[in-house]
Amino acid sequence: KELAGCGQVELTAVAVSGGYRISGSIRWASNLYHDSLLVTAAAADDGAKVIVALPLSSPGVTVGDHFKLLAMDSTASSYLSLQDVFVPDEQVLSTDFEAFLGAVRPTFLVL
């Protein structure tokens, strides 16, 4: 939404030694299985936006109960809450928000 100009990144990232601490909520996401990997953007305290990857099993990640969606029950959709989740530098996929999204957009659209 932010790249399109109709929203903003809702997660915040505070730089700490060796990575970032991520906090905030994601109101809707799918494929939230216990062994899933979350790839998301977060707005850093210096104004940059970082793309990070973290397991849903990370300390500080809360996954809500899956929504009951009639025929879509198998989507494992719900909300996420992140509270001071440590993401090490090795799990930062990009610090160039626009370039990263530009590179992955064609594949995401096909999927």
Side-chain angles (χ1 to χ4, degrees):
K1 287 183 186 180
E2 177 144 337
L3 193 60
C6 61
Q8 64 185 40
V9 173
E10 295 183 10
L11 298 179
T12 59
V14 176
V16 296
S17 178
Y20 289 92
R21 291 256 175 222
I22 309 289
S23 294
S25 63
I26 297 174
R27 296 181 196 152
W28 183 286
S30 295
N31 299 312
L32 298 175
Y33 300 101
H34 71 279
D35 60 347
S36 294
L37 183 69
L38 171 66
V39 176
T40 190
D45 49 355
D46 64 0
K49 292 172 193 71
V50 296
I51 307 292
V52 298
L54 62 137
L56 289 184
S57 61
S58 299
V61 176
T62 301
V63 178
D65 292 335
H66 292 168
F67 301 138
K68 298 297 178 196
L69 300 168
L70 299 174
M72 292 180 62
D73 268 355
S74 64
T75 65
S77 298
S78 189
Y79 67 89
L80 293 163
S81 177
L82 289 79
Q83 184 62 45
D84 292 324
V85 178
F86 178 69
V87 178
D89 287 330
E90 300 83 44
Q91 291 172 221
V92 176
L93 303 179
S94 179
T95 57
D96 190 338
F97 178 76
E98 290 183 10
F100 179 85
L101 290 179
V104 300
R105 180 182 296 152
T107 302
F108 282 8
L109 290 174
V110 169
L111 294 173

